[in-house]
Amino acid sequence: MRGLYIIIIVLALIAITVITNAHAQQVQLPVYIPAVNVEVTALSANGMPLTKYAIVGISCEQFNMSNVGSISTVIPIPSTGSITCKAYAYSFGVYSSKTIVLTANESGETIPITLVIPVSGYYVPGIGFVPIGTLIAIAVIIIVVIILVVIGLIEYARWRRERLARLIRPPE
């Protein structure tokens, strides 16, 4: 009978040991994944931000993202070696890009990338960024409308003179 108690106690100790080890294996350890925060913005040739007028993106080996205006994204990088990414921006038919290499040494940092798109223009309050080509087209249209109005007024004045001359002319 004594042997039976010893066997039960040994089995209980084994069960307690197994349960304790099972709980010890469930302890979660933090996992550190090296990553870099990359911010991509687009500017015009004269330094105006193209927030609503540029498609901005970043393309890495297995990571692609694009947005209108600007991007702020976290890119995982390998713990050894490097990853090559290409930041790009497109606006008003013009494309600009820059290649960057991210390494584990830059982990946890924020890397700002500014892409200059060679379009010139001005910021018009209430309208936004207007390219030089659009401003020139608007100026040409305004000049053509003014010329047409002046021609119309000249023709109207001529028509009034002829009509008045017919009224004043003596009957034949």
Side-chain angles (χ1 to χ4, degrees):
M1 186 85 163
R2 201 173 207 182
L4 184 62
Y5 288 128
I6 293 174
I7 293 174
I8 292 174
I9 292 174
V10 170
L11 288 175
L13 288 174
I14 292 173
I16 291 172
T17 306
V18 168
I19 291 172
T20 307
N21 286 341
H23 286 299
Q25 290 175 355
Q26 291 180 358
V27 173
Q28 295 181 355
L29 299 174
V31 177
Y32 176 72
I33 299 174
V36 175
N37 184 24
V38 177
E39 295 176 350
V40 182
T41 56
L43 299 177
S44 69
N46 54 359
M48 301 301 261
L50 297 170
T51 53
K52 293 188 270 184
Y53 308 102
I55 297 172
V56 178
I58 189 159
S59 174
C60 300
E61 293 169 1
Q62 295 178 353
F63 182 85
N64 292 316
M65 184 175 184
S66 65
N67 196 10
V68 174
S70 65
I71 289 179
S72 180
T73 186
V74 177
I75 299 174
I77 55 178
S79 57
T80 59
S82 63
I83 185 171
T84 302
C85 296
K86 182 177 183 180
Y88 60 89
Y90 177 81
S91 181
F92 298 108
V94 183
Y95 179 82
S96 177
S97 67
K98 185 184 285 186
T99 302
I100 59 169
V101 177
L102 303 173
T103 62
N105 296 338
E106 298 165 328
S107 180
E109 295 181 14
T110 299
I111 299 176
I113 300 171
T114 303
L115 296 171
V116 177
I117 302 174
V119 292
S120 295
Y122 294 99
Y123 181 78
V124 179
I127 296 175
F129 181 81
V130 181
I132 293 288
T134 304
L135 291 174
I136 291 171
I138 291 171
V140 167
I141 290 171
I142 289 173
I143 290 171
V144 168
V145 167
I146 289 173
I147 290 171
L148 291 175
V149 167
V150 168
I151 290 171
L153 289 173
I154 291 170
E155 287 297 316
Y156 177 74
R158 186 187 61 78
W159 176 78
R160 287 291 290 168
R161 275 194 309 267
E162 288 177 2
R163 185 167 178 183
L164 194 59
R166 274 189 256 144
L167 290 175
I168 296 176
R169 189 179 326 156
E172 295 178 8

